[in-house]
């Protein structure tokens, strides 16, 4: 297998394990990490020697969200005017932002449509953009003390696919988590249907790996049929269209005063200061990433 900068790959007994490997950043999603994850999936796609993908993460968190370190994400800026005519005035920030978000949704839906089952193994934080990672997976194992949620709903926007929450946990719980930005643990995530299994943290590796090896006893042809016929039910109900709409609404959120103020504070005072400004009124001060 090729070597990647931000992920590790191992293959054993029909299971291809991809490990997100930015532990110093709590595996926050950078373009490099996301690109390496997609590259590893492409490299594991041919043939049936690998029939199941296990997606895990190094360190104390599965994925704390998108990397918000100033300068790591290129938020859309208006293009420069080239003249005075209407067609020479360039594109607006909101149009460019929307286009970037539409591309991001398409990438998550590509992962959702991947022909082999993907089983996520979640420890620690799985927040914001992390919900989009597991939303594109087929099965999720979580540590009982893992933490799920979208604190960024308080000032920064939405995960454009909403982590597939409406399809998984329903309207009421999706609104509750978005309205508050609060986090829930693995036990509660299991109770409401966000994850398949919640197990003690010291059993997470063993339980997830054993389940993946059990799946790998089926032929890939059968697994692909089972996966895609189930996905098709939700796609016929409008899942793909609904996910695409997330780009529209996130682009709107990015025009709000709270989003601009978070960006200003992050640039001038540092990310920790901006996160404290966002979270302290809620009394948790967890400083989770987007």
């Amino acid at each position: 297998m090729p070597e990647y900068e931000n992920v590790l790959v191992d293959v054993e007994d029909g299971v291809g394990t991809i490990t997100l490997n930015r532990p110093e950043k709590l595996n926050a999603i950078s373009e490099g990490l996301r690109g390496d994850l997609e590259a590893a999936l492409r490299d594991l796609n041919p043939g049936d020697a690998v029939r199941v993908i296990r997606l895990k993460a190094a360190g104390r968190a599965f994925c704390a969200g998108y990397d918000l370190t100033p300068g790591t994400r290129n938020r859309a800026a208006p293009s420069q005017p080239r003249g005075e005519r209407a067609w020479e005035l360039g594109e607006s920030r909101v149009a460019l932002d929307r286009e970037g978000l539409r591309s991001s949704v398409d990438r998550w839906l590509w992962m959702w449509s991947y022909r082999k089952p993907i089983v996520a193994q979640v420890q620690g934080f799985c927040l914001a953009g992390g919900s989009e990672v597991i939303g594109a997976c087929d099965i999720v194992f979580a540590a009982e003390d893992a933490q799920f949620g979208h604190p960024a709903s308080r000032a920064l926007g939405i995960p454009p696919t909403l982590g597939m929450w409406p399809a998984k946990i329903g309207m009421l719980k999706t609104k509750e988590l978005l309205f508050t930005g609060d986090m829930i643990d693995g036990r509660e995530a299991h109770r409401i249907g966000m994850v398949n299994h919640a197990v003690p943290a010291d059993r997470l590796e063993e339980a997830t790996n054993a389940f993946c090896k059990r799946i790998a006893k089926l032929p890939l042809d059968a697994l692909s049929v089972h996966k895609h016929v189930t996905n098709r039910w939700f796609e016929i109900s409008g899942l793909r269209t609904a996910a695409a709409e997330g780009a529209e609404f996130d682009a709107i959120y990015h025009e709000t005063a709270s989003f601009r103020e978070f960006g200003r504070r992050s640039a001038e005072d540092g990310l920790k200061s901006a996160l404290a400004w966002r979270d302290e009124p809620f009394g948790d001060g967890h400083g989770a990433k987007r």
Side-chain angles (χ1 to χ4, degrees), residues 15-197:
V15 179
T17 298
I18 301 174
T19 303
L20 307 181
N21 194 34
R22 295 185 79 214
E24 74 286 355
K25 293 289 187 178
L26 302 183
N27 296 304
I29 303 169
S30 63
E31 184 54 41
L33 177 64
R34 190 170 183 181
D36 281 353
L37 171 58
E38 292 170 345
L41 287 170
R42 286 192 296 268
D43 289 337
L44 291 171
N45 187 55
D48 66 351
V50 170
R51 294 176 293 286
V52 182
I53 305 297
R54 178 170 62 132
L55 181 59
K56 55 182 287 192
R60 61 189 180 93
F62 176 78
C63 178
Y66 288 105
D67 194 338
L68 292 180
T69 305
T72 59
R73 299 193 74 205
N74 295 320
R75 181 59 60 197
S79 55
Q80 294 298 314
R82 301 180 304 278
E84 297 182 356
R85 300 292 187 180
W87 64 85
E88 296 174 325
L89 295 179
E91 298 176 88
S92 66
R93 180 176 64 186
V94 68
L96 292 169
D97 188 21
R98 173 181 179 268
E99 188 61 21
L101 291 166
R102 281 163 53 90
S103 175
S104 181
V105 169
D106 287 343
R107 292 170 73 178
W108 292 127
L109 290 175
W110 172 82
M111 187 170 161
W112 155 271
S113 297
Y114 189 75
R115 74 184 183 116
K116 302 179 180 184
I118 304 176
V119 179
Q121 175 182 313
V122 178
Q123 85 282 5
F125 290 128
C126 181
L127 304 177
S131 69
E132 299 205 272
V133 178
I134 67 168
C137 295
D138 302 293
I139 301 288
V140 183
F141 277 71
E144 291 176 338
D145 60 356
Q147 297 289 305
F148 299 84
H150 184 58
S153 68
R154 298 168 178 174
L156 284 173
I158 59 173
T161 67
L162 292 185
M164 306 296 185
W165 286 354
K168 292 185 175 185
I169 65 176
M171 176 179 68
L172 298 180
K173 280 297 181 182
T174 298
K175 288 182 176 179
E176 180 180 333
L177 291 174
L178 290 176
F179 287 173
T180 63
D182 290 344
M183 296 188 293
I184 59 174
D185 65 19
R187 296 179 186 88
E188 177 66 4
H190 175 246
R191 188 187 73 81
I192 66 176
M194 186 183 291
V195 305
N196 297 78
H197 301 278

Side-chain angles (χ1 to χ4, degrees), residues 175-226:
K175 288 182 176 179
E176 180 180 333
L177 291 174
L178 290 176
F179 287 173
T180 63
D182 290 344
M183 296 188 293
I184 59 174
D185 65 19
R187 296 179 186 88
E188 177 66 4
H190 175 246
R191 188 187 73 81
I192 66 176
M194 186 183 291
V195 305
N196 297 78
H197 301 278
V199 301
D202 61 359
R203 289 193 54 242
L204 179 63
E205 174 85 11
E206 175 189 2
T208 311
N209 196 36
F211 183 78
C212 288
K213 289 182 177 180
R214 185 173 176 82
I215 293 176
K217 295 182 184 299
L218 269 68
L220 179 57
D221 290 343
L223 291 170
S224 293
V225 167
H226 299 331

Side-chain angles (χ1 to χ4, degrees), residues 1-14:
M1 292 294 299
E3 291 188 1
Y4 313 91
E5 184 177 350
N6 298 282
V7 303
L8 305 173
V9 177
D10 179 66
V11 176
E12 181 181 2
D13 296 334

